[in-house]
């Protein structure tokens, strides 16, 4: 018989959320390992979508992170084709991962250590905290407010004070 208590419901949501995150991370791992550099046409899209200072940050990322950001932005552009701020936010949301650079295996280890609340290296902590770190870099480069907030909170399904539909598009595009 299925458990019907509120505690079981909360535990079920917790397990479902962890499995969803695990699936996302497995996809990202293989996406990172097999990523190809952006084509000249894709590079042009990035340069047309970002100010020079923000583009300079974008190009500091690894090929894999550039590919992920471009894919996220293409999904956003398909749903919000005239929303340049949302496209900018999609392109820059993981900018905090460029420094320090750790490879896909170390990223996976950092994620596991974080989930288990175990100690990790300084570089792994910087990877874990890439959202707030990236938001500070975007602020310094004077990128848009939405880009800064999405970098800071992109793993959050919704935040107070945001346009809920726009945030949902960004969040789902990053999945």
């Amino acid at each position: 018989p299925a458990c019907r208590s509120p505690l079981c419901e909360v535990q079920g949501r917790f397990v479902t959320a962890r499995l969803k995150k695990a699936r996302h991370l497995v996809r990202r791992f293989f996406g990172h390992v097999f990523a190809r550099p952006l084509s000249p046409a894709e590079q042009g899209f990035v340069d047309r979508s970002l100010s020079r200072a923000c583009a300079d940050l974008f190009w500091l990322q690894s090929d894999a992170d550039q590919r992920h950001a471009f894919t996220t932005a293409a999904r956003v552009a398909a749903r919000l084709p005239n929303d340049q701020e949302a496209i900018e936010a999609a392109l820059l949301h993981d900018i905090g991962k460029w420094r320090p650079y750790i490879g896909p295996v170390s990223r996976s280890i950092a994620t596991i250590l974080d989930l288990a609340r175990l100690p990790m290296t300084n570089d792994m902590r910087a990877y874990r905290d890439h959202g707030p770190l990236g938001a500070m870099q975007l602020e310094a480069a004077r990128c848009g407010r939405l880009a800064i907030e999405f970098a800071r909170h992109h793993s959050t399904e919704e935040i107070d004070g945001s346009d809920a539909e726009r945030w949902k598009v960004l969040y789902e595009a990053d999945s």
Side-chain angles (χ1 to χ4, degrees):
C3 177
R4 298 188 193 281
S5 80
L7 180 58
C8 288
E9 184 179 331
V10 169
Q11 288 173 332
R13 283 195 309 260
F14 177 77
V15 169
T16 300
R18 291 291 179 156
L19 289 174
K20 183 178 176 185
K21 182 176 177 102
R23 276 194 306 271
H24 170 78
L25 293 172
V26 167
R27 280 196 314 268
R28 285 296 311 273
F29 174 83
F30 286 106
H32 193 92
V33 170
F34 296 111
R36 66 190 197 300
L38 298 183
S39 71
E42 292 166 334
Q43 292 173 23
F45 173 85
V46 170
D47 285 331
R48 287 187 305 278
S49 299
L50 299 174
S51 70
R52 176 54 29 218
C54 297
D56 287 347
L57 284 175
F58 179 90
W59 297 116
L60 292 172
Q61 297 179 102
S62 68
D63 287 347
D65 288 330
Q66 289 175 20
R67 169 64 50 203
H68 167 67
F70 178 82
T71 300
T72 302
R75 291 174 183 154
V76 169
R79 292 179 63 187
L80 302 172
N82 299 315
D83 191 338
Q84 283 306 120
E85 291 177 342
I87 292 167
E88 176 193 44
L91 286 169
L92 298 172
H93 73 280
D94 278 335
I95 205 70
K97 290 181 180 179
W98 79 269
R99 186 183 60 198
Y101 177 77
I102 62 174
V105 172
S106 292
R107 287 179 174 200
S108 298
I109 292 168
T111 300
I112 291 166
L113 292 173
D114 185 47
L115 288 171
R117 292 176 172 71
L118 293 171
M120 59 180 78
T121 67
N122 288 338
D123 286 351
M124 288 177 175
R125 274 193 298 282
Y127 169 75
R128 177 198 62 199
D129 298 335
H130 73 275
L133 294 172
M136 290 188 308
Q137 294 169 26
L138 296 176
E139 284 175 333
R142 299 183 189 269
C143 300
R145 178 64 31 210
L146 182 61
I148 294 165
E149 289 308 307
F150 192 60
R152 183 175 286 122
H153 302 291
H154 65 273
S155 62
T156 305
E157 199 162 349
E158 55 186 68
I159 63 168
D160 293 337
S162 72
D163 175 336
E165 187 55 35
R166 193 184 208 194
W167 193 270
K168 181 180 178 188
V169 169
L170 284 162
Y171 180 81
E172 289 175 355
D174 187 34
S175 296

